[in-house]
Amino acid sequence: MKKYETERLIIKPTNTEDAEFIFEIMNTPKYHKYIGDRNIKSIEDAENYIKNRMLLQFEKVGFGNFTIILKSDDSKIGFCGIYLRDGLDIPDIGFAFFEEFEGKGYAFEAASELKKLAKTEFGLQKLSGITLENNHSSRKLLEKLGLKFQKKFFLEGDPEELMYYETEL
């Protein structure tokens, strides 16, 4: 699995060496509020999530979750990925960053690179994005990436209404 670079970032496929980072980010209050509790209660849970969800998708389709690392100091600041989700016909771009790294353009830099790779490396023709209506920063980023709002909907098993965005690549 290849890693990629932008001006300020290293974008590498998430693997089990990232378990502590995944545990930390998936247990932030903002992650729980806007993305949901994935029941990652230990480093071991994070390792299993990475093996059974993230790495499995990479093996199946060649893309998935990427850990975002600052080139300047090698700190892991967030993740960004392209995901296959039950209930969505088109792969979904998603992202989560530690709060102290928001508002600095890192999410846009990483997601822009992944959007480009979606077409050039992964052979996708369309990309979708989903978010809660009250997640204004996520909505703003999806729109800045060129995704257009299409509809509100519910994913099966999710009690909250989501906003669905889409773009052609």
Side-chain angles (χ1 to χ4, degrees):
M1 294 187 292
K2 288 169 64 173
K3 71 178 179 180
Y4 306 93
E5 290 189 28
T6 64
E7 183 182 336
R8 302 180 295 168
L9 306 171
I10 296 167
I11 301 170
K12 72 161 204 74
T14 301
N15 62 43
T16 53
E17 293 171 13
D18 299 311
E20 188 173 329
F21 158 72
I22 292 295
F23 169 76
E24 288 175 23
I25 200 165
M26 288 182 136
N27 281 293
T28 61
K30 209 167 184 185
Y31 194 95
H32 282 202
K33 178 179 180 180
Y34 291 124
I35 300 173
D37 184 353
R38 298 293 188 251
N39 205 27
I40 307 298
K41 306 299 181 203
S42 67
I43 304 296
E44 185 180 353
D45 289 344
E47 286 176 359
N48 288 330
Y49 191 89
I50 292 166
K51 286 179 200 168
N52 299 325
R53 300 281 300 268
M54 296 175 177
L55 292 176
L56 199 60
Q57 184 182 309
F58 269 111
E59 289 172 18
K60 285 182 180 177
V61 295
F63 57 84
N65 197 77
F66 292 84
T67 298
I68 309 303
I69 302 165
L70 274 183
K71 282 182 176 179
S72 61
D73 65 5
D74 286 333
S75 55
K76 296 175 182 178
I77 63 170
F79 64 76
C80 190
I82 301 174
Y83 310 101
L84 300 179
R85 296 194 196 277
D86 290 338
L88 292 182
D89 296 332
I90 297 170
D92 161 52
I93 190 164
F95 31 81
F97 284 76
F98 287 121
E99 210 162 343
E100 63 265 31
F101 297 102
E102 292 178 4
K104 296 174 172 46
Y106 297 128
F108 180 70
E109 190 173 327
S112 293
E113 183 68 12
L114 277 184
K115 181 184 173 198
K116 183 178 80 178
L117 293 169
K119 181 177 184 170
T120 62
E121 296 270 323
F122 312 140
L124 301 178
Q125 295 177 5
K126 289 184 177 183
L127 200 57
S128 71
I130 56 175
T131 189
L132 295 171
E133 187 167 3
N134 66 350
N135 190 344
H136 300 288
S137 58
S138 181
R139 288 172 51 195
K140 186 176 167 186
L141 180 52
L142 289 172
E143 290 166 6
K144 190 173 178 182
L145 289 167
L147 282 80
K148 304 279 187 248
F149 173 72
Q150 305 290 314
K151 64 183 177 182
K152 291 182 180 180
F153 79 112
F154 289 90
L155 270 178
E156 190 176 325
D158 191 337
E160 297 196 73
E161 186 177 51
L162 298 168
M163 296 182 72
Y164 177 81
Y165 291 77
E166 190 177 295
T167 191
E168 294 204 21
L169 299 175

